[in-house]
Amino acid sequence: MKCLLKNVYYVDGFMDEAGKGDILIDGDSISEIGDHIGTSEDTDVIDCNFNKAIIPGLVNAHTHAAMTLLRGLGEEKPLKEWLEERIWPVEAKLTPQDIYWGTALALMEMASMGVTGFADMYFEMEEVGEAALKFGVRCALSKGIIGTKESDIEKALRLFEYFKDQKLVNVQVGPHAPYTVPIDMYKKLCHMAKEKNIGVHTHFMEAAWERDYLKEKYDMVPVEFLENSGLLSVPLALLAHCVWIEKDEMEKVAVPSVKVAHNPSSNLKLGSGIAPLKDYLKKGVSVCLGTDGAASNNRLDVWEEMRLAALLHKGNELDPTCCKSKEVLKMATFNGARALGFDKVGRIQKSWKADLVVVDLDKPHYVGVEPSNLVQYLVYAGSSSDVVGTMVNGRWIYYYGSYSYKDVEEIKREAKKSRERICS
Ligand code: NI
């Protein structure tokens, strides 16, 4: 089956301007972009009359999807207290089924907002993967590891084996953070990641006290920890947050294997600080965007992270020229897909995977949009409520309020039951 999106604006491969014309999707990929593309009998034609924009699929590069069940718990507490007193005790009650329904609930939200891929760190990751496969969403899964249990290394290996034949699923290794996982465990996990040629997803320098912790415990600054733990020699290191990296340390993270997931909403809500995004971009660090879990955001809205990333640093740095809309859109799409370990995903380009979003331009706040300013309109004026269609690997997972997932009402019912039980 082919699908022709006719008469659309589309974001070009440089995330710079819009092209105008038709996009033909054949199977899982974009097969042609041009004017007046011909059709055959097996082509589903959607004429968009130049009032729709096609953008690459958005990627939520750091989240804990099933935390939708914990949304609103322990509001307005410091990170450590929030985790230890409010989140971890409730998480201890979660069953594999809870994780399935909590993840499915997150995917319902995210699919309607144009998210085509997500990097998830949690537990019972087989359930997370099953929910993602049922939704048809791309993902990178890492079992969150705390402490030094050898059995966790085996579990991570099993997860890798379980999903290794799934095209939409990549498995990564997930040590939670340097303050919950000793450096020797990091070394073992990084060694395993290298052997299996997979990525490592970890929280890193989210709060200021983590720098003091490393100094006291290991006499190391953060980049020395990266070097000594093995994180700089794995095929891909996805570092969530990186709020507290000093300017003179950034060279070390400006390497192709390191991906920094910037989570502006979560960092603001938990009072963690403001990541030095302007300097990261200047130094060539590969930055992607994440929402973090729904208990620390509380939205799973990548559009909002884009807008915030584009605004926050201008104000903080007193520089309206930094963190440009095209850079931010690239972070939310192409860079995110790379951070999940996928190639040829994240651009509207011939032969690339058909992960894309249909944005309704027939709205008052898009009057005045044209190819040269589309990207700015999307980032500054647009929002997730403009999304009308979300396609992953050539398949619609969301289209005008309907999901390809068979029974979304059941998701809400079951998630509500889980929530009531874990909070009782
Ligand atoms: Ni997180």
Side-chain angles (χ1 to χ4, degrees), residues 62-64 121 176 203 206 240-241 263 266 292-293 296:
H62 176 68
T63 191
H64 316 281
M121 182 200 289
H176 172 261
H203 294 95
E206 177 175 3
H241 304 301
N263 299 257
S266 171
D292 215 345
S296 63

